[in-house]
Amino acid sequence: MDNAATTALDSTVLESMMPYLTEKFGNPSSIYSYGRESRLAVETARKSVAKILNAHPAEIFFTSGGTEASNTAIFSAVRNLGCEHIISSPIEHHATLHTVEYLYNNGEASLSFVKLLPNGHIDLEHLEKLLAEMDGKTLVTLMHANNEIGNMMDLEVVGELCKLYGAIFHSDTVQTVGHFPFDLRNTPVHFITGAGHKFHGPKGVGILYINENVRIKPFIHGGSQERNMRAGTENVYGIVGFAKALEIATLQYEQESAQIHTLKVYMMEQLKKQIKGVHFNGDPIGRSLYTVLNVSFPKTEKSEMLLFNLDINGICVSGGSACTSGADQGSHVIRAVNNNPNQVAVRFSYSKYNTKPEIDQVIVKLKEVM
Ligand SMILES: Cc1ncc(COP(=O)(O)O)c(C=O)c1O
């Protein structure tokens, strides 16, 4: 139950990748037939991804994953698009947070964090105030959905606000691409990101969407791949797998999202009924991912060993304790939204492969361990 960390590869996705791991091994840049076959696979994948996200194929760049995509967007906004200020939030993934902190520490941009509301959503009034105060070009980088607490931000609303103030808008959409429909042609955003392994695709492949009105400079030098922007021989089987996984996720969206949402709600109910003192972090029944549930348990000697004991029982979940002592700094997200030293936070995150009996099994083990 740690599917926000990564998901199992779908067997149909693996099947689609296999030819490019075996007989179809041509380099897409080679001009003979084997190369052209691989080139066709990459470009077909790009078209498919673009169509699903309602973008233009020229706006889709394949990367090594979400981290590279966000690094590229943020660095480009500052170094190529002239952004002197960055507005972000304290609960971004480190792929964003460490990048904006690097640019700030390096003297390349000023950095402001937007305030959070008690339920972990960003304070839109404060965002507007920050935007109004900035003179000079600003980059707003705020994630679409938080990977630890599941809170979702309204891309449209934030995008319109950025437009109003002439800001560049990047959103880390790693937890939502492959989980929600996108209509990028009608969404006011300059950069979004995706990672194949979050929706039953392969690891080590992702996308960066760059709106066609934005012109950035090449981010890796040394070849003409990805329209001269990202040099290096393409991860052909990864790219094919990414497109296949997105295609499957899109076809199955209605049914799967409902099924996973039911599991989340069921687990919330069972936890409330069966375990004393549970607290849910974020806004789990409001604007939230159907895949993520972050729960705080009362801190006891036993609950401090919760993850370890669940692991012994074959249950994989991730932590996020508000503990600030010793080497364990806990989660920066939990610290920002619920800094209660008397609680231990655990993230449960679901996929289409989880079942209700598994939830029951986890509840039984949790009761035992607590
Ligand atoms: C919200 C978010 N952003 C970025 C990443 C990084 O993606 P990747 O592992 O593909 O580099 C992750 C996954 O760990 C994530 O959950």
Side-chain angles (χ1 to χ4, degrees):
M1 279 192 194
D2 199 22
N3 290 280
T6 199
T7 53
L9 190 69
D10 188 302
S11 58
T12 313
V13 174
L14 177 63
E15 246 171 65
S16 75
M17 294 166 67
M18 280 311 279
Y20 300 94
L21 283 155
T22 52
E23 74 271 19
K24 299 185 182 201
F25 63 87
N27 186 322
S29 298
S30 300
I31 55 167
Y32 44 76
S33 62
Y34 293 104
R36 293 200 304 272
E37 187 175 54
S38 293
R39 165 69 48 219
L40 184 64
V42 169
E43 296 315 319
T44 305
R46 194 187 316 279
K47 274 188 205 149
S48 165
V49 170
K51 186 158 187 249
I52 289 170
L53 301 177
N54 198 20
H56 194 274
E59 296 174 311
I60 304 295
F61 295 85
F62 289 110
T63 67
S64 65
T67 303
E68 181 192 319
S70 280
N71 268 256
T72 303
I74 295 166
F75 271 99
S76 304
V78 170
R79 292 184 177 171
N80 308 154
L81 304 178
C83 292
E84 299 162 38
H85 309 289
I86 301 175
I87 299 175
S88 191
S89 89
I91 59 170
E92 297 298 303
H93 187 275
H94 283 153
T96 293
L97 212 48
H98 288 179
T99 308
V100 297
E101 282 168 357
Y102 173 83
L103 286 163
Y104 169 70
N105 290 327
N106 211 31
E108 295 185 59
S110 71
L111 177 60
S112 310
F113 288 121
V114 65
K115 284 184 194 154
L116 300 176
L117 300 172
N119 61 6
H121 287 303
I122 62 153
D123 182 339
L124 287 171
E125 276 177 30
H126 186 232
L127 174 63
E128 176 148 24
K129 187 169 168 282
L130 288 174
L131 278 164
E133 277 169 15
M134 302 293 170
D135 52 355
K137 194 98 180 163
T138 301
L139 164 69
V140 171
T141 170
L142 290 168
M143 69 204 307
H144 191 198
N146 186 277
N147 51 304
E148 293 196 39
I149 56 173
N151 279 25
M152 286 187 73
M153 185 184 78
D154 193 326
L155 271 188
E156 295 285 332
V157 170
V158 174
E160 287 300 339
L161 212 49
C162 291
K163 207 165 145 185
L164 192 64
Y165 289 91
I168 295 289
F169 179 33
H170 159 250
S171 187
D172 171 348
T173 51
V174 164
Q175 292 290 343
T176 50
V177 165
H179 295 275
F180 288 91
F182 275 81
D183 178 8
L184 291 174
R185 197 150 292 154
N186 298 303
T187 308
V189 67
H190 298 102
F191 300 98
I192 72 153
T193 61
H197 70 113
K198 304 292 188 185
F199 51 94
H200 307 288
K203 292 170 180 59
V205 61
I207 54 157
L208 172 61
Y209 158 85
I210 308 180
N211 182 277
E212 62 188 348
N213 297 318
V214 171
R215 287 277 174 273
I216 67 165
K217 292 191 176 146
F219 38 102
I220 298 185
H221 304 271
S224 59
Q225 290 89 352
E226 296 298 297
R227 293 183 308 291
N228 288 313
M229 297 302 279
R230 182 184 188 265
T233 302
E234 296 88 340
N235 173 3
V236 181
Y237 43 85
I239 289 170
V240 167
F242 183 100
K244 190 66 181 178
L246 188 61
E247 190 190 304
I248 295 173
T250 305
L251 282 174
Q252 300 176 346
Y253 167 67
E254 298 282 342
Q255 183 248 321
E256 266 169 20
S257 56
Q259 174 197 327
I260 299 169
H261 180 72
T262 306
L263 289 181
K264 172 174 168 173
V265 172
Y266 178 68
M267 185 155 192
M268 282 183 80
E269 282 165 2
Q270 293 305 309
L271 282 167
K272 274 192 279 190
K273 246 191 236 167
Q274 307 211 36
I275 297 177
K276 256 202 188 139
V278 292
H279 165 86
F280 300 108
N281 295 308
D283 185 22
I285 46 169
R287 290 189 64 87
S288 181
L289 290 171
Y290 51 87
T291 47
V292 169
L293 180 63
N294 195 299
V295 188
S296 280
F297 296 95
K299 193 178 236 174
T300 63
E301 242 170 65
K302 286 179 180 158
S303 68
E304 281 197 278
M305 296 291 284
L306 203 55
L307 297 190
F308 177 71
N309 280 312
L310 290 175
D311 182 25
I312 288 177
N313 287 289
I315 297 164
C316 309
V317 293
S318 76
S321 83
C323 162
T324 50
S325 63
D328 178 10
Q329 287 296 301
S331 146
H332 65 286
V333 176
I334 298 301
R335 270 204 305 283
V337 299
N338 173 20
N339 200 10
N340 185 339
N342 300 316
Q343 291 183 334
V344 174
V346 177
R347 176 185 71 183
F348 300 92
S349 51
Y350 319 99
S351 82
K352 61 181 177 182
Y353 296 129
N354 286 125
T355 62
K356 217 165 155 191
E358 282 180 341
I359 306 266
D360 290 329
Q361 207 184 326
V362 174
I363 301 279
V364 167
K365 285 296 166 199
L366 277 169
K367 272 174 82 177
E368 256 177 53
V369 172
M370 296 293 289

